[in-house]
Amino acid sequence: MQASDLDPAVRRDLLSLDKSNAETVARHMVMAVELLEDDPRLALAHARAARQRAGRIAVVRETAGVVAYHAGEWAEALSELRTARRMSGGSGLLAVMADCERGLGRPERAIELGRSEEAQALTGDEATELRIVVAGARMDLGQFDQAVVTLQASDLNPARTGSAAARLFYAYADALVAAGRTDEGLQWFLNAAAADEDGETDAEERASELTGGDAQ
């Protein structure tokens, strides 16, 4: 992997480092991203190495946080993402932070994040992802009806397709089933399966389970 493989915008953030260190940090970050799906623990080792060399750069701390999240290191991920937000002032990745709170067994804090001013400013897929996490936190607490309500918004449109729509429909179906509304849940699992163009979810299998293998 070469430093040039790193996104140009991220490479610009490394310009404050001396050239040799910037090259090394960039390579570690490229490897962290490349390994994230197949070997999150090794990806985390690269992200940590980048952080050790460039801990004062927000994008490095954010990358370390995201990689730690994928490796299941909730506390580390939350710490890194909080640091990155203090450094950059952004409100992105709020859904990841909320999910870390869930991973740490603190669903109430995830819900609090969902109520924050920063959360209200989110739009599009970022807002949807946070709603999915908050709904999950409600389910952690056994608040199934509230989880259903949390997910009800204008983007809950069965005509939509793509990854974000599939995840939203799946979460809604899951909440409906948990709330005892099985027939509605089945329909939304089918909607999720139809929207899931890349096969990211097991919506089709969940639908089949609910119908005894006869989902259409």
Side-chain angles (χ1 to χ4, degrees):
M1 295 296 169
Q2 301 297 318
S4 58
D5 293 329
L6 194 64
D7 184 278
V10 177
R11 290 179 64 195
R12 284 195 292 274
D13 287 342
L14 303 181
L15 290 176
S16 61
L17 304 174
D18 68 71
K19 184 175 180 180
S20 176
N21 193 31
E23 288 283 316
T24 301
V25 170
R27 287 175 181 168
H28 279 303
M29 292 179 72
V30 169
M31 288 301 298
V33 172
E34 287 292 322
L35 292 166
L36 189 58
E37 184 173 341
D38 295 329
D39 194 341
R41 300 304 305 182
L42 184 54
L44 182 56
H46 281 285
R48 287 170 172 168
R51 181 194 61 203
Q52 289 169 357
R53 288 176 168 271
R56 295 184 179 181
I57 297 178
V59 70
V60 175
R61 303 302 290 266
E62 183 176 287
T63 299
V66 171
V67 176
Y69 168 76
H70 283 277
E73 295 290 346
W74 315 121
E76 180 178 351
L78 194 56
S79 176
E80 294 296 334
L81 293 173
R82 283 173 174 165
T83 299
R85 287 177 67 210
R86 285 196 299 269
M87 296 168 75
S88 67
S91 61
L93 301 179
L94 207 59
V96 177
M97 295 177 64
D99 211 23
C100 288
E101 295 286 12
R102 287 185 66 203
L104 290 167
R106 303 188 301 224
E108 297 90 347
R109 294 193 185 183
I111 294 169
E112 287 175 13
L113 278 175
R115 292 171 174 161
S116 67
E117 290 184 11
E118 292 163 312
Q120 305 312 310
L122 295 179
T123 59
D125 289 348
E126 287 186 341
T128 299
E129 289 296 332
L130 182 56
R131 281 172 36 231
I132 290 172
V133 174
V134 171
R138 291 289 188 189
M139 291 180 68
D140 293 341
L141 295 168
Q143 299 171 356
F144 306 124
D145 291 330
Q146 287 167 279
V148 169
V149 172
T150 297
L151 293 167
Q152 291 174 337
S154 59
D155 56 355
L156 196 65
N157 180 349
R160 295 177 60 214
T161 59
S163 177
R167 289 196 301 276
L168 173 61
F169 300 167
Y170 187 100
Y172 190 53
D174 208 25
L176 286 166
V177 171
R181 296 163 61 177
T182 306
D183 289 344
E184 293 173 82
L186 170 60
Q187 183 57 58
W188 280 99
F189 275 128
L190 293 172
N191 292 341
D196 192 359
E197 299 169 328
D198 297 321
E200 293 183 21
T201 74
D202 65 345
E204 190 170 340
E205 289 81 358
R206 291 291 302 275
S208 292
E209 289 173 5
L210 291 174
T211 59
D214 297 323
Q216 297 296 320

